Amino acid sequence: MIFPTRLLENSGTNFTIVDLAALQLARLPIVHRILLENLLRRGSDDAETRAVIQQWIAAGHSDAEIAFLPGRVMMHDTTCGPALVDIAAARSALAEAGGDPAILNPVLPVDVSTDHSLAVDVYGSPDARARNMAREMERNAERYSFMKWASATLDNFTVHPPGTGIMHTINLERLATVVTHEERDGTRWAMPDTLIGTDSHTPMVNGIGVLGWGVGGLEAESVMFGMPVMMRVPEVVGVRLTGRLREGIAATDLALVVTHRLRQIELAGRFVEFFGPGVASLSAGERSVVANMAPEYGSSTGYFPIDDATLRYLRETGRAEKDVALVEDYARATGLWFDPGAEPHYAEVIEIDLDAIGLSLAGPRRPQDLVATADIPALLGGRRKTTMPRRPVAIAAITSCTNTSDPRQLIAAGLVARKARSLGLAPPAWVKTTFAPGSPTAERLLERAGLLEDLNAAGFAIVGYGCTVCIGNSGPLAPAMLDALAMNDAKPVGILSGNRNFPGRVHPQIEDAFLASPALVVAYALAGDAAIDVARDALGNQSDRAIHLADLWPSGAEIDAVAALAMRGDDYATAYDAAEASPAWAALPAPDGPLYPWQPGSTYLRRPPFARSEREDRLGHYRAAPLIVLGDDITTDHISPAGAIAPDSDAARWLIEQGADARDLNVFSSRRGNWEVMLRGLFTNPTVRNLLGEAIPAGSTMMRGNGDPMPLWRAAARYAETGQPVVIVAGERYGMGSSRDWAAKGASLLGARAVLASSFERIHRSNLVNMGVLPLRLPADRHPSLLRLQVDDRIEIDAPSGTLAPRAPVPVAVHRGDGSVERFTARAEIETALELEVLRAGGIIPLILRDAGSVSGEGIEKG
């Protein structure tokens, strides 16, 4: 390959590097420089690629299609579960066809966290963590045994057992190297650490200068087997930070402001990079909080370049000094080192003054809806009734990787709890208090600081190391709250330090929730009333004295003093090593052999119907019935639920018929290896409204000639029996939220040939393509609210397989029940030639199986 290289000496070792500095890339955003390095080092040396690179460098931007080969993949247990079921089923299909199943093997490192299945059954007690984790192992033994089979059978596949922490925190604290190295063809290369992850919050690692973003599980499967991520060179939006955060303002406050500001511009398919002098004032922990919320502000990334704060974080978390030195030497040599005065060329620039950031929350139903504390009382409309407020805090959760991976935020929460304890304050009985940090290192930090006992006293005992409340694994509400709900005497509110607050996500009985810093979560728990101005109103009383937030809020100096006392770099390896050596995981039995032994009676793992080599191309010219019509902001939580399986649901009835315990059906996220359960859960979120009719229950639809609503899965089956194609229609930002591929697998199992939406969130769009379902973007004047589709209408789509192209116009005609026809042009939301190939194959799994006969040591050969 023709590109400049040079030697870099580090700790007595010579590394070959792509000499980016020689290419004069100062105009390019740093994320573009990393993508260029990857393309130069791993791409082909053909004339077309050389022309793309030359034009890109000369113009400072490009819209060319490129192949990106990440260095590794990360998954968690509920995204790896469906992917492993697909892989196991594909291995079975390949063996049945006379092939060798062992050729379906990851060709690059895959790390899996076990963090999405922990539920908060026990809280407010020092033994909560042990009891919740024991229950987690009982509930999920079959799934975890399956994961253990995969870790023993598949190459390059590592499972981090329950108790090791949340995926993104593990990545920050243990796995990310920032700069890595490999030996290839006799040459020792150094290069940026890059990854993709099957969770939309993968960009959290952008906070320490590692380029990574979230993808769907289906796209990750293709990358695991050696296919590149095909992408157009992204536009990059620059966020210029100036000033510094004021005393008492947390990284959460900044993250919520960034989310609010960036949601006001179009970010689909674009990257975000932070620059300007204010960046240098933020610690790596603070940066990671902001980077974590990239999906909430609609971007693939929230990238912070490498600088001294990065190096300091690596040392604080116990990385070897020679590895830290390599990061600095490499970044400086290649032009990836952050310059506070640099002004790269960005497609758009947003200015944010850190000095102007104030105490902030977001809610009550979207993370981008920024709200000041003074506005919440009017927003919620609370008033007191007897002893419980009308808008009580039902859940107060220090939860998720978003804020618990920043030690200063945990220390701040602990100091609020300490001061409250000294004043005799405690949360009222109706508040369910939970604390689930991102990793076991948090416990060591807080114990050494003496804050663990204070948090316990405030009800915030550690309930485990997992996502818990942030993804809806909240467990039952407090008895006092349940009593009030039974009497219709309260409208509960959630307060959490997570990243999402969509209606019903935190808990099916909570529609309103606010995102806040961990310290504010403790304050709201003490008050017990969500409809107060927490910054000014009294949180409680000591004798005749009213206690306010100012009486509890720690200063920066207090936080610094505790951090200096409590933080130790050797905690990280020690804590993780102990968690990895879990006796419960070691004792868990698992099958062996290249093929997974499917059990017909399993209610957790069922061989899926779409994991086969022959599937029909869903493109073409057809007239489809609208299966379901939806409005704006339909999230993947709305499409495919993650929380508790309601005992009166179709999914529950199926499980009980198969012998499951009606008293403990577990959560949907734990059943993602069972397509029968997931199919019956589609669109059953109680806030989903099917616009085909006035009073259609969630998860149901209407059919022509049938006056009564019926479950979607039954209607889809009837349509399939008669050969009637179906489509799904939706409004803006369809598929926002979590990366879960079941939202797209569900569309496929319902028989949808296309999804027509006003706009798509990036990962869900990709997942639809990888399931063989065509995403079509509606023109602005054809929003579902304007189309007013009826049960008798039919939607004609002309998308022939042979002539369809990326971003091509697609003729659409709505044939009304009264005989009239309304015509318009949609756009095929296909980004690359590889995506078109996937659609023509009927999905990514059939494509992988089709090509499995031409496997080499480098993975599946394309072409």
Side-chain angles (χ1 to χ4, degrees), residues 281-332:
S281 72
L282 299 173
S283 70
E286 290 171 324
R287 297 174 189 182
S288 297
V289 174
V290 177
N292 176 280
M293 292 194 70
E296 280 65 55
Y297 42 85
S299 175
S300 304
T301 68
Y303 186 80
F304 287 86
I306 301 165
D307 67 356
D308 287 325
T310 312
L311 306 183
R312 186 160 51 249
Y313 178 82
L314 294 175
R315 292 186 175 102
E316 287 172 350
T317 51
R319 267 59 166 218
E321 187 57 40
K322 67 179 181 60
D323 296 330
V324 178
L326 177 60
V327 170
E328 179 174 8
D329 293 347
Y330 180 88
R332 289 187 182 279

Side-chain angles (χ1 to χ4, degrees), residues 621-624 794-798 811-815 821 823:
H621 189 174
Y622 52 89
R623 284 192 188 186
R794 293 296 177 262
I795 302 170
E796 181 182 1
I797 294 173
D798 188 9
V812 177
V814 178
H815 296 263
V821 181
R823 301 183 187 277

Side-chain angles (χ1 to χ4, degrees), residues 704-750:
R704 177 189 286 176
N706 188 329
D708 296 323
M710 68 173 63
L712 278 169
W713 64 275
R714 287 192 185 278
R718 290 196 185 180
Y719 278 130
E721 289 169 3
T722 63
Q724 172 64 63
V726 297
V727 295
I728 294 169
V729 182
E732 296 284 357
R733 298 170 292 278
Y734 183 68
M736 65 189 294
S738 299
S739 68
R740 64 192 64 161
D741 54 6
W742 255 108
K745 287 178 174 177
S748 175
L749 284 177
L750 290 172

Side-chain angles (χ1 to χ4, degrees), residues 508-633:
Q509 293 173 287
I510 296 178
E511 292 196 2
D512 294 333
F514 289 92
L515 306 181
S517 68
L520 269 187
V521 169
V522 177
Y524 270 102
L526 296 168
D529 186 353
I532 64 170
D533 179 352
V534 73
R536 293 180 176 83
D537 294 339
L539 305 182
N541 294 282
Q542 182 198 42
S543 302
D544 295 329
R545 176 194 170 196
I547 306 301
H548 293 82
L549 187 67
D551 299 314
L552 308 180
W553 206 249
S555 68
E558 289 177 285
I559 296 171
D560 290 341
V562 173
L565 168 73
M567 290 182 64
R568 290 186 185 172
D570 57 4
D571 273 351
Y572 292 83
T574 304
Y576 278 112
D577 287 346
E580 296 277 1
S582 162
W585 183 259
L588 185 69
D592 56 16
L595 295 176
Y596 183 73
W598 302 100
Q599 301 300 316
S602 174
T603 60
Y604 280 96
L605 303 169
R606 309 277 283 196
R607 187 171 169 180
F610 44 74
R612 60 182 191 270
S613 58
E614 296 300 327
R615 288 193 73 205
E616 290 185 5
D617 175 353
R618 299 191 185 200
L619 302 175
H621 189 174
Y622 52 89
R623 284 192 188 186
L627 182 63
I628 185 170
V629 180
L630 305 154
D632 295 339
D633 296 316

Side-chain angles (χ1 to χ4, degrees), residues 17 89 107 145 225 285 321 329 414 416 419 426 513 596 630 675 677 711 731 743 809 813 815:
I17 63 171
V107 298
S145 175
F225 293 120
E321 187 57 40
D329 293 347
V416 170
K419 294 181 182 185
Y596 183 73
L630 305 154
W675 66 273
V677 173
H815 296 263

Side-chain angles (χ1 to χ4, degrees), residues 94-401:
L94 192 58
E96 289 163 359
D100 178 7
I103 64 176
L104 289 178
N105 228 9
V107 298
L108 75 171
V110 180
D111 284 276
V112 177
S113 62
T114 312
D115 56 19
H116 268 57
S117 299
L118 178 70
V120 187
D121 297 309
V122 182
Y123 69 98
S125 169
D127 65 349
R129 175 172 59 87
R131 292 169 65 187
N132 287 326
M133 288 184 63
R135 195 74 189 93
E136 175 191 7
M137 289 296 293
E138 292 170 16
R139 284 190 179 119
N140 299 288
E142 184 181 354
R143 291 175 52 239
Y144 290 175
S145 175
F146 178 52
M147 292 165 60
K148 197 171 178 181
W149 165 81
S151 66
T153 303
L154 302 178
D155 294 340
N156 302 310
F157 194 90
T158 302
V159 175
H160 302 273
T164 49
I166 299 174
M167 169 180 175
H168 312 300
T169 310
I170 295 172
N171 198 15
L172 278 172
E173 295 180 350
R174 188 162 174 86
L175 300 179
T177 58
V178 186
V179 172
T180 188
H181 51 84
E182 68 175 13
E183 189 154 329
R184 184 158 49 90
D185 300 328
T187 300
R188 186 184 295 273
W189 289 88
M191 74 282 293
D193 179 15
T194 59
L195 76 148
I196 58 166
T198 58
D199 186 277
S200 55
H201 296 102
T202 300
M204 186 170 196
V205 78
N206 293 176
I208 60 170
V210 175
L211 182 60
W213 60 88
V215 300
L218 294 156
E219 186 170 4
E221 289 175 39
S222 67
V223 172
M224 286 164 60
F225 293 120
M227 292 183 181
V229 176
M230 296 304 300
M231 59 189 293
R232 293 190 180 276
V233 176
E235 287 188 345
V236 181
V237 172
V239 178
R240 187 172 188 271
L241 302 181
T242 57
R244 63 173 53 245
L245 295 176
R246 292 182 286 116
E247 176 81 10
I249 302 303
T252 309
D253 302 310
L254 171 60
L256 297 180
V257 169
V258 169
T259 301
H260 175 71
R261 290 285 305 279
L262 291 183
R263 267 294 175 183
Q264 297 173 26
I265 65 173
E266 177 59 55
L267 279 177
R270 301 166 101 183
F271 282 13
V272 165
E273 179 173 301
F274 294 89
F275 74 109
V279 169
S281 72
L282 299 173
S283 70
E286 290 171 324
R287 297 174 189 182
S288 297
V289 174
V290 177
N292 176 280
M293 292 194 70
E296 280 65 55
Y297 42 85
S299 175
S300 304
T301 68
Y303 186 80
F304 287 86
I306 301 165
D307 67 356
D308 287 325
T310 312
L311 306 183
R312 186 160 51 249
Y313 178 82
L314 294 175
R315 292 186 175 102
E316 287 172 350
T317 51
R319 267 59 166 218
E321 187 57 40
K322 67 179 181 60
D323 296 330
V324 178
L326 177 60
V327 170
E328 179 174 8
D329 293 347
Y330 180 88
R332 289 187 182 279
T334 55
L336 300 184
W337 187 262
F338 175 62
D339 176 0
E343 299 275 347
H345 172 76
Y346 295 106
E348 191 171 349
V349 172
I350 303 295
E351 301 266 356
I352 294 180
D353 178 5
L354 299 180
D355 291 301
I357 306 295
L359 203 62
S360 303
L361 293 94
R365 299 192 169 197
R366 300 190 307 177
Q368 65 261 44
D369 294 333
L370 189 71
V371 59
T373 61
D375 297 330
I376 290 180
L379 187 63
L380 291 180
R383 59 188 177 88
R384 292 194 174 275
K385 295 180 68 177
T386 64
T387 59
M388 184 183 291
R390 178 61 182 163
R391 303 310 307 271
V393 176
I395 291 178
I398 303 175
T399 182
S400 106
C401 52

